[in-house]
Amino acid sequence: MSFFAILLALVLEQARPLNPVNVIYTTMNRWIAWVARTFDAGVQHQAWITWGITVIGPALLTMLTHWSLEWGLGWLFAVVWNVALLYVTLGFRQFSHHFTAIREALENGDETKARELLAEWQQVQVGQIPRSEIVRHVIEYSMIAAHRHVFGVFFWYAALSIVGLGPVGAVVYRLTELAQRRWHEPAADGSLASEALRSVASRAWLALDWLPSRMTALGFAIVGSFEDAMDGWRNHAQNFPEDNDGVILAATAGAINIRLGGAPLQAPLQDEEAAAPSGGSSTPGRMPEVAHFAQVVGLVWRTVIMWLVLVALLTMANLLG
């Protein structure tokens, strides 16, 4: 079921992308904000309870719906439910419109528009950064977005599908990422989640994303320049062992021989969580150019195809076994 659900969700999302402003995303954002307002007491044990209610509650509801459909109406309805769930949680088109718009602006020579679009996308101060820096930041943000919106969800859904809990994996991953991001931002009334809740959210996200980020990096290495990608990954992991995003970017840089990393863009409110995903050091490689966008797209799609083929083979082996 996992292979067909992922494949159908990706095809559907490419054919008819979900509007970035929709009732599902709005409801999830309101849910995360409401739970924080209601249960955040500013102490560690209460923060874990708050996180559990936020993330585990919807995941259990999702799984109960899956089981009810499968037992009550049949496996076909359960597959439809899984496709719908993945359509919401997994997909390139949830962020790729930003990438495409900036790429088109740069190809047309309109660097001012490209800077404006980048600043609007990430809510950061761009200033008058040169063309190569615009390209670098777009590639970095896009690769991290591809991991969080596609490969991370893909990994946890496929991994937990082995024990029949695929929907739980997809929901927990996406809500964990969304919660840690939202709780580090001021709420609509200007309030901020407690330090304890923000710490718990960050720790949960770091733990949950540790293995998927490395599987994404491994995928980039396999379909790109393997030795260079692994060298970049190893060097970065030695210096920054808890930087999941950095592992992905180091592998990306090595896979296509491009220089990533360097000074981050500055968030308007000095919010460290909104800064660029790269640190202060740069990887070896060529200076980023607009032509590298095509290489990045190819790298991502080759990785998607590779993991789809692997899941298909595992599904076939399970059926034949």
Side-chain angles (χ1 to χ4, degrees):
M1 181 187 296
S2 59
F3 168 74
F4 293 107
I6 293 171
L7 179 61
L8 289 173
L10 285 172
V11 171
L12 180 61
E13 201 254 352
Q14 288 294 310
R16 193 174 183 82
L18 191 64
N19 193 316
V21 180
N22 60 78
V23 65
I24 298 173
Y25 293 167
T26 301
T27 301
M28 286 297 97
N29 282 317
R30 288 176 178 173
W31 165 253
I32 291 170
W34 179 83
V35 173
R37 287 196 309 268
T38 306
F39 297 99
D40 183 14
V43 292
Q44 194 76 4
H45 72 276
Q46 186 71 23
W48 279 112
I49 294 174
T50 303
W51 179 87
I53 294 172
T54 304
V55 175
I56 305 301
L60 291 177
L61 180 61
T62 298
M63 202 65 226
L64 287 174
T65 303
H66 171 84
W67 286 334
S68 298
L69 290 171
E70 186 173 13
W71 294 340
L73 298 175
W75 67 270
L76 182 59
F77 288 90
V79 171
V80 172
W81 169 248
N82 278 249
V83 172
L85 182 68
L86 288 170
Y87 176 68
V88 173
T89 58
L90 178 150
F92 291 104
R93 302 295 287 273
Q94 298 178 23
F95 69 91
S96 63
H97 55 285
H98 298 291
F99 175 88
T100 302
I102 297 173
R103 177 181 182 176
E104 290 177 350
L106 289 173
E107 288 176 342
N108 294 329
D110 193 345
E111 295 180 14
T112 300
K113 183 178 179 181
R115 294 188 188 97
E116 292 174 353
L117 292 170
L118 176 59
E120 180 183 355
W121 178 18
Q122 293 297 324
Q123 296 298 298
V124 292
Q125 295 174 349
V126 172
Q128 295 299 313
I129 60 174
R131 183 183 182 91
S132 63
E133 283 294 281
I134 300 174
V135 174
R136 174 176 74 84
H137 286 297
V138 171
I139 290 175
E140 290 177 351
Y141 285 124
S142 297
M143 297 308 283
I144 296 303
H147 167 68
R148 296 183 179 184
H149 288 273
V150 181
F151 297 113
V153 179
F154 191 127
F155 172 83
W156 280 117
Y157 179 83
L160 292 190
S161 289
I162 297 173
V163 293
L165 297 175
V168 170
V171 172
V172 167
Y173 183 84
R174 289 299 295 129
L175 281 179
T176 299
E177 189 274 332
L178 186 59
Q180 68 88 24
R181 183 153 42 92
R182 291 290 178 257
W183 287 340
H184 281 86
E185 299 172 351
D189 58 1
S191 61
L192 193 65
S194 68
E195 177 61 32
L197 185 58
R198 283 181 282 149
S199 174
V200 163
S202 296
R203 288 166 59 188
W205 171 244
L206 178 66
L208 195 67
D209 194 45
W210 190 91
L211 186 54
S213 62
R214 281 144 183 84
M215 294 303 293
T216 297
L218 178 62
F220 292 163
I222 292 173
V223 302
S225 177
F226 185 83
E227 185 176 351
D228 292 336
M230 295 304 293
D231 282 343
W233 173 358
R234 182 169 53 252
N235 292 334
H236 185 88
Q238 289 175 349
N239 297 321
F240 308 98
E242 295 188 350
D243 184 8
N244 294 338
D245 291 348
V247 167
I248 296 169
L249 295 180
T252 301
I256 59 176
N257 187 27
I258 186 175
R259 184 181 302 173
L260 298 179
L265 296 177
Q266 185 61 60
L269 298 178
Q270 309 292 319
D271 183 356
E272 61 181 10
E273 293 297 323
S278 57
S281 60
S282 297
T283 64
R286 297 169 294 173
M287 288 293 292
E289 300 175 357
V290 175
H292 287 126
F293 284 149
Q295 290 182 265
V296 166
V297 172
L299 182 73
V300 170
W301 275 111
R302 290 196 303 272
T303 306
V304 169
I305 294 171
M306 181 191 71
W307 290 126
L308 275 174
V309 170
L310 178 60
V311 172
L313 292 174
L314 291 175
T315 301
M316 187 177 301
N318 183 54
L319 292 174
L320 295 176

Short mmCIF file of all heavy atoms in Angstrom, two decimals, residues 8 75 193 209 244:
data_model
loop_
_atom_site.label_atom_id
_atom_site.label_comp_id
_atom_site.label_asym_id
_atom_site.label_seq_id
_atom_site.Cartn_x
_atom_site.Cartn_y
_atom_site.Cartn_z
N LEU A 8 0.78 7.86 -5.96
CA LEU A 8 -0.45 8.56 -6.32
C LEU A 8 -0.48 9.96 -5.72
O LEU A 8 -0.94 10.92 -6.37
CB LEU A 8 -1.66 7.75 -5.87
CG LEU A 8 -1.93 6.46 -6.65
CD1 LEU A 8 -3.07 5.67 -6.00
CD2 LEU A 8 -2.29 6.78 -8.10
N TRP A 75 -9.99 -2.29 2.22
CA TRP A 75 -8.65 -1.74 2.09
C TRP A 75 -8.57 -0.61 1.05
O TRP A 75 -7.73 0.30 1.17
CB TRP A 75 -7.67 -2.85 1.69
CG TRP A 75 -7.91 -3.42 0.32
CD1 TRP A 75 -8.71 -4.45 0.00
CD2 TRP A 75 -7.35 -2.94 -0.90
NE1 TRP A 75 -8.70 -4.68 -1.36
CE2 TRP A 75 -7.85 -3.76 -1.93
CE3 TRP A 75 -6.46 -1.93 -1.23
CZ2 TRP A 75 -7.52 -3.58 -3.27
CZ3 TRP A 75 -6.11 -1.74 -2.56
CH2 TRP A 75 -6.64 -2.56 -3.57
N ALA A 193 5.77 31.35 23.01
CA ALA A 193 5.74 30.14 23.82
C ALA A 193 6.87 30.18 24.85
O ALA A 193 7.89 30.84 24.65
CB ALA A 193 5.89 28.91 22.92
N ASP A 209 14.15 14.09 13.26
CA ASP A 209 14.70 14.38 11.94
C ASP A 209 16.12 13.83 11.77
O ASP A 209 16.68 13.92 10.69
CB ASP A 209 14.70 15.89 11.69
CG ASP A 209 14.93 16.25 10.22
OD1 ASP A 209 14.30 15.61 9.36
OD2 ASP A 209 15.73 17.15 9.95
N ASN A 244 21.26 18.74 11.72
CA ASN A 244 20.66 17.90 10.69
C ASN A 244 20.61 18.59 9.33
O ASN A 244 20.92 17.99 8.29
CB ASN A 244 19.25 17.49 11.10
CG ASN A 244 19.24 16.59 12.32
OD1 ASN A 244 20.23 15.94 12.63
ND2 ASN A 244 18.13 16.55 13.03
#
